[in-house]
Amino acid sequence: MNFAEIERKWQRKWQEDRIFEPEIDKSKRKFFITVPYPYMSGALHIGHGRTFTMGDIIARFKRMQGYNVLFPMAFHVTGTPVLAIADSIANGDEKVIQLYREYVRIYENDEEKVEKIVESFKDPKNIAEYFADKTQQDFKGMGYSIDWRRKFHTAEPIYNKFVEWQFKKLYDLGLIKKGEYPITYSPADGNPVGEDDIEDGDIDKVTIMEFTVIKFEFEDGYLVAATLRPETIFGVTNLWINPDAEYCAVMVNSERWYISKEAAEKLKYQKDNVIVEKCFKGEFFVGKKAKEPATGRTIPILPADFVDPDNATGVVYSVPAHAPYDYQALKDIQNSEEYARKYNLSQEELKSIELIKIIDIEGYNIPAKDICEKMGIVNQKDPKLEEATQIIYKDEFYSGILNNKCGPFAGIKISEIKDEVKRWLINMGRADVFYETSRKAVTRNGHKVIVAVLKDQWFIDYSPKWWKEKGHKLVDQMFFYPTKYKNIMHGIIDWLEKRPCARKRGLGTRFPWNKEWIIESLSDSTIYMAFYTVAHIIREQGIEPEKLTEDFFDLVFLGKGNIQEISEKTGVKEDVLEKMREEFEYWYPNDQRHTSPPHLSNHLAFFIMHHAAIFPEKHWPRAITLNGLMIREGAKISKSKGNAIPLAHVADKYGVDLFRLYCAVNADLESVMDWREKELASLKKRFNLFVSIVEDSLNATEPKTLLPMDRWLLSRFYRLLKESIQDYDSFKIRDAMLNMLFHFVNDIKKYEKRMGSDRRKCVIRKVLEDWLLILSPVMPHICEEYWHRLGHSNYISLQTLPEVKEEYIDDAVEAEMEYVERVIDDIKEIVEIAKIDVKKIYLYTADQWKWDVLRAISDVPPKDAIKEAMKVRKSKETVTLVKQLLKNKIKYIKIDEESVLERDKKYIEKVFNAEVVINSDYDPKNKRKFAIPMKPAIYVE
RNA sequence: GCGGGGGUUGCCGAGCCAGGUCAAAGGCGGGAGACUCAAGAUCUCCUCCCGUAGGGGUUCGAGGGUUCGAAUCCCUCCCCCCGCACCA
C-alpha cells in the first residue's frame, strides 16, 4: 500500500470539496482555534511541525465533537530577519546564500531554478512570498484542516491597515508613549543593531549593562568613574586610571568630565551636548588627587594596567576591602618599589592607604582580602580574580549589610539599598548613568557596536494598573493546559513594563504618527485572530487597503459607528459591511490558541493584554494550550547544527499519518519530545499492525452470537474508548492514543491467542467504524481511506465521535478473563520453579466461607479487617486468611470461580498440554486448604 | 538570584497531582526460540537478585519524617535543564 499516495489523494479531495472552509451556521456551536502564524525566514522543520500538528489534531477532534470549527492560518514576515537575509544575499554573503540554496532545494530540483530563486531573494518580499507559498504547500501536505481562504502575510497593505487600527486604539487609551531608551547601535552604520546584525549575536548574546558613573571632583571638573556597585562608594580609597590610555576632557551639559577617549565617543550617543575639548595620556593624572562625593575625602589617583579604556568610562574607583581586583592591585603596588619609582610616587604614601570595610557579612572579616588569601591569588593578573569577584558580589549582594561608615544607609541589606544609594548620588548631582555592552561586539561587517540612547523611541506601556487588572481578569477566566502556565502568566503580566514597539528598519507596518518607524514584529501580531474572521471577504470583494479606515474596523470589530455613513465614507457596500460584522460576531472570541512555551513571556502575554485593552469581555480569548519543544536524538534542532528535517520531507520520508501519530503518542503536551529514528521504527511496526488488523476485517462479517471472549474484547474496546474520549477532551491526547492503539491492540492479540484470527476478524468488524473514528483526528488519511473502503460516501473528517456503547462494558467478563490469566501465570511459575514435567493439573477453588470473609472486609480499612472478618467466622484460620488476602491485595468481585475454570478448561489444557481437573477429591499434598478467593490452590503432577 | 521543571531498574522514558493491585507501562539495547539454505525482516518469550510449588530479598538522587503501608505526601541537602524582555 502506498501511504503517500493515499495521503495526497485525500488531501486533494478535502480541498476540492472545500470541507474545511466553514461558514456561519447558527445551529451549531462554533469553535475558533488558532496556532500562531509561522515566521517566514526559511522552510519549517519537524520541530515546528509538532505544534501545528497538535493544533490540527485538536481542531479535528473538536469537529468530531460537533463544533463548527474554524482553523485559519497566515504568515509572519515582519521585522529585521527577512531584511537581513535579503541584505546578506545582495552583499554576496556566501554562508547565507548557501543556506538559502539548501532551503530552496527542499522544493526545487532544478539547479538553475534554485539559483534564480535565491537571486530573487535580494528583495525581502520575495523571500516572504516564496516561503509563505511553500509553507502553505507543506501544511496541506500534513493534512491540516485549515481554511486557506483567510490567509495573508503581515507585510500586505490590508494587514498594515489592520495593525494601524490596533495602534490607534492603543494610542487612544494612552498606552503608546515616547521616550528614551538604550539600544545596541553601530555608529559606523548609523543604525541600531539587533541580534541578527551582530557577529555571533545568536550564540553569545549582547545585553546592555547600566553602569552608575560617579563624579570625583578633580581640578576644574570631575574624574568620572564607572561602577556596577555604587553602594561601595563609602569604601573608596583611590582611583585607578590606565597611564598609557588616551583620556579626554569632555563638556557634558556645562560640566567638565574626564573620561577615556573611547568613553567620550560612546557618550556622544547617550547624551546631548557632549563636546570633546582636548585629549592626553592617562599619566597626566598620576599622583594627583580627587575628592570623593559621599563624605568628601581626598584620595589619590593611581595608575593601573588592568583598567580598560574601552570599558565604561575607563576610570575605576578602588574599594580594596570589597573588590578582589582592587585589593590585589593595591597589595601589588604597596609591595613594589619599582612601581613607586616608575611613577614617581611616594612608597610611604602608598603604604599608608588602608582598607575601609563598609559591609558586614557573615563568614568574612574583610571579604576581598579573605577570598584572595583563601583562593591563593598571587597577583593582579591572576585569572582566579574573576571568580573571586563573582563570589563576593553575590554573597555581599544577598547577605551583606552596610555598616556605620555608610551614613544614612547603615544597617540595611545591599540588595535593598543598592538602588537607593544610586538615586541619592544622582539626585545630589554626583552621579549619572552610562550604558555599556555586556561584551565587546562588532557587527557582521566588522563595525564596532556600542550602546546608544534613542530619544524618541516609541513604547507600549504595559504598566498602567487598570490594564494589568484587566489582563489578570482575562487570565483568571481563561483555561490553560498544562494548567501550571496560568500562574506563570499572572507572573508575566505583573512583570511587564514598557516595551519598545517600533524599529527603524524591517518589513511591516509603518508607525501611524511617524512613518520613519516600523511597528516591530511582536507588537503587530497580538489580535490578528480577529482579522481572520473577515480577511477572506476583504479579498473576495477586492476592497482596497485605503478603504480599511479606522471607522471601518471600529464598525466591524467593535460595532461602533453608523453603518450607512461608514459605507458612504469607505465605499464598501452596506451588505458587505454587515456580512463582515456578522462573521466577526459569530467566530469571535478565539476559543483556543495552541502554541509552545517560548511564546509565553512575549507573544501570548501581548495577545492577552491587547485583547483585554481593545475588546469587550465577551470577545476575550478563552483558552491557551501549549506543547513542549521537539528535539532530535537528544539534541536541540537548529539550522546551524544541520539536524533539521524539513516538514516538506515528512510525507515521503516517514508518512504523514505516522508522523502525526508520533507527535500524538511519543510525549504528552507538557514534555519535550525527542525525535528518534529508532522510536519511529518501532512505532511504524505498531502502525503496520493496526493497518493489517483493519485490512483483515474490511470484508469480514460480524458474528451473529457473542461468545464470552467476544464480549470481553468488546468490553475492553468500549471501556478504552470511553476513557480515550475523556482524555482527548482534557488534552491528554497521548493517553487517548495509547489506549486505542497500544492497549487495545494488545487486547486483540490476547483475544486472538485464544479465539484464532478468523473470529478476530469478525469481531473487530463490529467495532471497526468506531475505531477508525476515534483514531481519525490523529491519522486522518488512513482512516479516511478505510472509511470509504467500508462503503461510506461521506468524509470521516466530518463525522461525529463514536458512541460509547455502555451495554458492552462488563466488569465481570473482564474480571473472569483476568482471573484465568492469573491462574495460568501461577501454574507457569510453579512448573518452572519446580521443574515439573506436567501431566495433570489439579485446581481447587476457595470454600464459600472464604468468600464470605473477603466480601465482609472489602470495604473495611486494612487495620480493621481482622476484627470485621471475625464477625463472619471466628477462628484461627480466619486470621490467616485475612492476612493472605491483604498481602495479595485481593479485591472483592462477584465471580463463580468453578464455572469460569470449567468453561476455560480446554484453553488451560491447551496452554500446558496437560489435563486439568477442577475441585477433585484427589488431593495428595493437601493443597486444597491453601485456596483463597481469586487464587485457587494448585497441584501439578 | 528570581521563576518554572526535573533526577525512576543498562539507556530513553511512563508512574508521582487523587499513597496500597508497583519489581514499577512502553521503547531501545541484550538473551533464547520460531520462520529461513543463510543473513535480514518479522513474530514469540525472557531481561534487579535468590528460590525444586505460586515465595522471599533489595531498589525509584541523598538523608530524615508522616503512615499499618511511600517511587508517590512533608522537611533538609546535592545535582541537572529551561525562561528572565525589546529578540523572532
Side-chain angles (χ1 to χ4, degrees):
Chain A
M1 184 157 53
N2 186 333
F3 293 115
E5 222 165 74
I6 289 174
E7 285 163 2
R8 279 190 280 267
K9 175 175 83 187
W10 292 111
Q11 287 158 10
R12 203 183 57 240
K13 291 199 185 233
W14 293 333
Q15 191 177 352
E16 280 167 10
D17 288 343
R18 302 171 162 267
I19 67 169
F20 302 125
E21 297 180 5
E23 294 297 338
I24 295 175
D25 178 351
K26 289 191 173 145
S27 69
K28 273 170 117 185
R29 294 174 298 172
K30 65 92 187 178
F31 193 84
F32 179 24
I33 180 169
T34 59
V35 178
Y37 44 35
Y39 195 78
M40 286 296 101
S41 58
L44 299 185
H45 58 68
I46 54 170
H48 304 112
R50 180 185 182 188
T51 306
F52 294 105
T53 298
M54 295 320 285
D56 184 60
I57 290 172
I58 295 164
R60 284 174 175 273
F61 179 74
K62 286 288 167 186
R63 215 171 269 123
M64 294 197 93
Q65 280 188 314
Y67 289 96
N68 190 20
V69 172
L70 172 58
F71 178 27
M73 189 54 63
F75 300 101
H76 199 197
V77 300
T78 307
T80 47
V82 171
L83 196 67
I85 294 154
D87 287 349
S88 301
I89 290 174
N91 293 333
D93 182 334
E94 264 311 309
K95 243 168 76 188
V96 175
I97 291 172
Q98 205 44 48
L99 179 67
Y100 278 79
R101 276 190 196 128
E102 282 305 314
Y103 276 146
V104 173
R105 279 185 198 126
I106 294 170
Y107 304 104
E108 322 283 347
N109 43 25
D110 176 352
E111 269 309 301
E112 230 170 275
K113 210 170 161 200
V114 169
E115 241 8 82
K116 228 175 107 192
I117 291 166
V118 172
E119 178 73 19
S120 79
F121 286 174
K122 288 174 179 171
D123 181 348
K125 266 227 153 82
N126 290 336
I127 301 177
E129 269 154 23
Y130 181 80
F131 287 110
D133 188 48
K134 294 301 168 192
T135 302
Q136 179 176 358
Q137 202 176 297
D138 291 350
F139 281 1
K140 282 182 183 170
M142 295 300 293
Y144 298 158
S145 55
I146 291 170
D147 181 354
W148 285 109
R149 294 174 301 166
R150 300 161 192 264
K151 73 154 182 184
F152 52 84
H153 70 72
T154 60
E156 282 187 68
I158 54 172
Y159 188 75
N160 297 154
K161 297 302 284 186
F162 168 71
V163 172
E164 248 179 52
W165 174 76
Q166 183 205 181
F167 268 73
K168 282 177 182 155
K169 296 302 109 183
L170 295 176
Y171 189 85
D172 290 344
L173 289 164
L175 302 173
I176 304 290
K177 292 186 180 150
K178 207 174 174 183
E180 290 192 358
Y181 205 77
I183 51 157
T184 44
Y185 187 87
S186 161
D189 299 307
N191 249 331
V193 287
E195 195 175 292
D196 313 293
D197 306 309
I198 296 171
E199 181 85 39
D200 293 332
D202 46 346
I203 306 159
D204 187 4
K205 240 181 129 166
V206 176
T207 55
I208 293 170
M209 314 264 289
E210 185 185 310
F211 281 84
T212 303
V213 290
I214 297 179
K215 304 174 201 169
F216 292 77
E217 278 178 49
F218 173 76
E219 296 184 353
D220 53 350
Y222 299 103
L223 196 50
V224 180
T227 180
L228 293 168
R229 302 185 61 190
E231 74 281 5
T232 58
I233 187 64
F234 297 101
V236 61
T237 59
N238 60 284
L239 286 160
W240 300 114
I241 51 94
N242 187 324
D244 301 318
E246 288 268 309
Y247 285 79
C248 301
V250 180
M251 286 306 289
V252 181
N253 288 328
S254 72
E255 280 178 6
R256 181 168 290 112
W257 288 15
Y258 292 95
I259 52 180
S260 73
K261 194 174 176 190
E262 289 86 345
E265 277 309 304
K266 293 171 191 167
L267 202 60
K268 287 184 193 164
Y269 291 91
Q270 298 186 9
K271 289 201 172 299
D272 291 330
N273 308 319
V274 174
I275 299 153
V276 177
E277 293 180 327
K278 58 178 177 186
C279 297
F280 42 84
K281 283 280 279 288
E283 58 192 21
F284 163 77
F285 299 105
V286 172
K288 295 187 174 164
K289 299 264 194 299
K291 206 161 129 193
E292 57 91 3
T295 53
R297 285 174 294 125
T298 298
I299 54 170
I301 303 166
L302 300 175
D305 304 331
F306 68 79
V307 175
D308 179 358
D310 196 18
N311 187 22
T313 60
V315 182
V316 182
Y317 73 77
S318 170
V319 188
H322 300 285
Y325 273 109
D326 294 337
Y327 170 79
Q328 197 56 48
L330 182 65
K331 207 174 139 201
D332 288 355
I333 61 168
Q334 284 176 335
N335 295 332
S336 163
E337 284 180 28
E338 191 200 327
Y339 177 87
R341 199 163 44 241
K342 181 172 169 194
Y343 294 110
N344 200 20
L345 295 166
S346 145
Q347 185 86 16
E348 289 299 294
E349 205 179 321
L350 289 177
K351 287 206 166 162
S352 74
I353 296 175
E354 280 178 18
L355 309 189
I356 304 173
K357 183 187 169 181
I358 57 155
I359 295 167
D360 289 331
I361 173 170
E362 206 165 309
Y364 294 100
N365 180 19
I366 296 174
K369 179 164 181 268
D370 295 354
I371 198 153
C372 284
E373 284 166 2
K374 200 174 136 206
M375 292 179 72
I377 286 164
V378 289
N379 60 38
Q380 58 183 298
K381 293 202 169 79
D382 198 318
K384 287 200 289 283
L385 275 167
E386 191 52 45
E387 194 194 337
T389 303
Q390 292 298 326
I391 293 168
I392 291 294
Y393 184 96
K394 221 198 288 185
D395 284 354
E396 291 191 338
F397 185 78
Y398 292 104
S399 40
I401 293 166
L402 290 177
N403 71 13
N404 57 13
K405 293 206 178 63
C406 305
F409 307 108
I412 304 175
K413 276 172 81 173
I414 309 289
S415 55
E416 287 160 18
I417 204 65
K418 198 183 181 78
D419 287 342
E420 258 336 270
V421 178
K422 182 170 107 190
R423 268 199 298 277
W424 175 69
L425 287 166
I426 290 175
N427 289 341
M428 285 198 311
R430 289 311 184 89
D432 212 314
V433 168
F434 184 92
Y435 296 101
E436 182 61 280
T437 53
S438 57
R439 66 171 174 92
K440 299 258 163 80
V442 294
T443 62
R444 292 206 191 275
N445 45 18
H447 296 139
K448 188 169 174 177
V449 174
I450 64 158
V451 180
V453 173
L454 289 192
K455 303 288 181 227
D456 50 359
Q457 174 68 48
W458 292 93
F459 293 96
I460 299 175
D461 183 4
Y462 289 101
S463 54
K465 209 174 146 216
W466 66 265
W467 197 7
K468 293 207 175 203
E469 275 167 6
K470 272 195 171 182
H472 284 302
K473 190 171 177 197
L474 195 160
V475 171
D476 277 331
Q477 294 171 9
M478 198 176 220
F479 171 83
F480 280 80
Y481 186 87
T483 48
K484 65 175 176 183
Y485 290 117
K486 188 171 195 149
N487 277 333
I488 292 178
M489 187 51 79
H490 277 301
I492 290 167
I493 287 174
D494 284 333
W495 156 91
L496 282 173
E497 273 176 37
K498 281 198 281 185
R499 184 192 155 83
C501 61
R503 301 197 66 179
K504 288 265 168 125
R505 27 195 312 262
L507 300 179
T509 304
R510 296 211 168 265
F511 205 68
W513 304 280
N514 188 340
K515 302 285 183 191
E516 284 168 46
W517 292 83
I518 306 279
I519 290 165
E520 143 314 312
S521 62
L522 282 163
S523 307
D524 84 343
S525 41
T526 60
I527 57 164
Y528 67 91
M529 312 80 212
F531 197 65
Y532 283 130
T533 65
V534 297
H536 59 308
I537 300 176
I538 295 176
R539 195 88 67 193
E540 259 165 40
Q541 297 289 328
I543 301 172
E544 294 87 351
E546 57 276 15
K547 291 182 179 168
L548 305 177
T549 59
E550 189 174 357
D551 289 345
F552 171 90
F553 285 119
D554 277 350
L555 176 77
V556 173
F557 293 143
L558 301 175
K560 281 187 193 163
N562 180 300
I563 190 161
Q564 267 174 306
E565 280 172 27
I566 291 166
S567 174
E568 270 166 39
K569 256 173 44 192
T570 59
V572 179
K573 286 203 219 101
E574 255 182 68
D575 60 327
V576 174
L577 287 172
E578 199 108 33
K579 170 83 176 118
M580 284 199 241
R581 176 82 193 124
E582 205 190 344
E583 286 269 345
F584 175 77
E585 280 287 337
Y586 178 76
W587 291 112
Y588 238 59
N590 189 183
D591 295 287
Q592 184 171 348
R593 189 150 180 80
H594 180 77
T595 181
S596 56
H599 277 145
L600 280 165
S601 67
N602 42 58
H603 167 68
L604 288 174
F606 305 146
F607 162 68
I608 287 168
M609 292 301 279
H610 289 225
H611 272 92
I614 294 172
F615 290 105
E617 256 179 66
K618 67 166 181 172
H619 286 151
W620 287 358
R622 295 291 155 83
I624 287 176
T625 51
L626 303 124
N627 62 238
L629 294 175
M630 185 186 266
I631 57 175
R632 183 178 172 197
E633 312 290 345
K636 208 171 166 172
I637 298 177
S638 71
K639 294 179 228 166
S640 53
K641 277 203 180 116
N643 64 349
I645 301 168
L647 209 50
H649 289 172
V650 165
D652 292 323
K653 219 170 162 183
Y654 310 104
V656 170
D657 280 337
L658 184 61
F659 175 84
R660 294 174 61 114
L661 179 61
Y662 193 101
C663 288
V665 99
N666 266 54
D668 53 34
L669 289 187
E670 278 181 77
S671 328
V672 171
M673 168 172 284
D674 196 352
W675 177 262
R676 294 165 169 238
E677 297 282 333
K678 281 235 167 102
E679 299 263 349
L680 187 82
S682 62
L683 187 67
K684 195 181 169 76
K685 279 187 215 164
R686 181 64 55 159
F687 179 81
N688 290 340
L689 187 54
F690 158 75
V691 166
S692 68
I693 292 171
V694 174
E695 294 261 341
D696 279 351
S697 292
L698 286 174
N699 298 312
T701 37
E702 295 179 25
K704 290 200 181 66
T705 50
L706 294 176
L707 302 171
M709 275 305 283
D710 301 340
R711 285 211 307 275
W712 174 77
L713 192 63
L714 293 176
S715 178
R716 289 294 299 158
F717 178 80
Y718 285 106
R719 186 186 298 280
L720 291 168
L721 178 67
K722 188 178 177 181
E723 282 175 23
S724 297
I725 290 173
Q726 282 162 5
D727 287 343
Y728 249 127
D729 201 30
S730 46
F731 304 108
K732 292 181 193 158
I733 294 163
R734 175 176 193 266
D735 290 342
M737 290 316 277
L738 240 31
N739 268 343
M740 295 322 299
L741 214 58
F742 285 73
H743 300 155
F744 183 55
V745 168
N746 288 348
D747 289 339
I748 294 173
K749 285 193 204 168
K750 267 190 215 163
Y751 175 92
E752 186 173 328
K753 242 188 212 168
R754 288 180 61 169
M755 304 302 285
S757 60
D758 286 342
R759 191 158 182 95
R760 181 208 80 207
K761 292 174 190 172
C762 299
V763 177
I764 294 300
R765 180 62 189 86
K766 213 170 158 52
V767 296
L768 195 55
E769 265 97 350
D770 288 352
W771 199 21
L772 292 173
L773 283 166
I774 193 68
L775 296 175
S776 69
V778 172
M779 307 187 288
H781 308 90
I782 194 81
C783 290
E784 193 74 80
E785 174 73 14
Y786 288 132
W787 184 256
H788 286 260
R789 283 213 225 158
L790 283 171
H792 297 279
S793 53
N794 50 17
Y795 286 109
I796 199 171
S797 299
L798 298 178
Q799 299 309 303
T800 49
L801 283 173
E803 184 201 343
V804 177
K805 294 181 180 139
E806 296 275 356
E807 66 270 25
Y808 284 117
I809 300 178
D810 187 334
D811 291 343
V813 96
E814 289 186 40
E816 286 168 14
M817 166 79 177
E818 275 166 38
Y819 169 69
V820 173
E821 290 299 320
R822 196 147 77 180
V823 171
I824 291 171
D825 284 345
D826 279 351
I827 300 170
K828 267 188 195 160
E829 196 171 347
I830 291 165
V831 170
E832 239 168 69
I833 286 162
K835 299 195 176 95
I836 300 168
D837 188 21
V838 192
K839 294 202 183 68
K840 239 173 168 181
I841 299 161
Y842 295 88
L843 298 173
Y844 314 91
T845 57
D847 294 337
Q848 185 56 41
W849 71 267
K850 293 184 177 175
W851 274 94
D852 295 341
V853 167
L854 174 61
R855 188 174 188 171
I857 66 169
S858 62
D859 293 322
V860 175
K863 55 183 162 189
D864 301 330
I866 290 177
K867 201 166 52 182
E868 200 59 34
M870 291 309 240
K871 288 182 194 162
V872 176
R873 188 175 187 271
K874 211 161 187 168
S875 80
K876 224 175 176 178
E877 286 167 297
T878 306
V879 179
T880 322
L881 174 67
V882 171
K883 281 184 183 162
Q884 266 178 308
L885 289 173
L886 290 177
K887 196 162 153 201
N888 286 291
K889 291 147 191 161
I890 308 276
K891 286 272 151 61
Y892 179 77
I893 178 152
K894 199 178 175 210
I895 77 168
D896 180 348
E897 292 187 74
E898 187 170 326
S899 64
V900 170
L901 290 175
E902 225 27 274
R903 191 184 73 202
D904 288 339
K905 196 167 119 178
K906 286 239 167 58
Y907 170 60
I908 303 172
E909 288 181 334
K910 203 175 100 192
V911 170
F912 293 99
N913 194 24
E915 194 187 334
V916 171
V917 185
I918 295 154
N919 284 340
S920 161
D921 290 333
Y922 176 71
D923 182 14
K925 289 271 163 77
N926 235 335
K927 293 284 182 190
R928 186 198 299 274
K929 63 174 192 231
F930 296 119
I932 62 173
M934 302 304 285
K935 213 167 158 56
I938 300 163
Y939 173 64
V940 182
E941 62 177 27

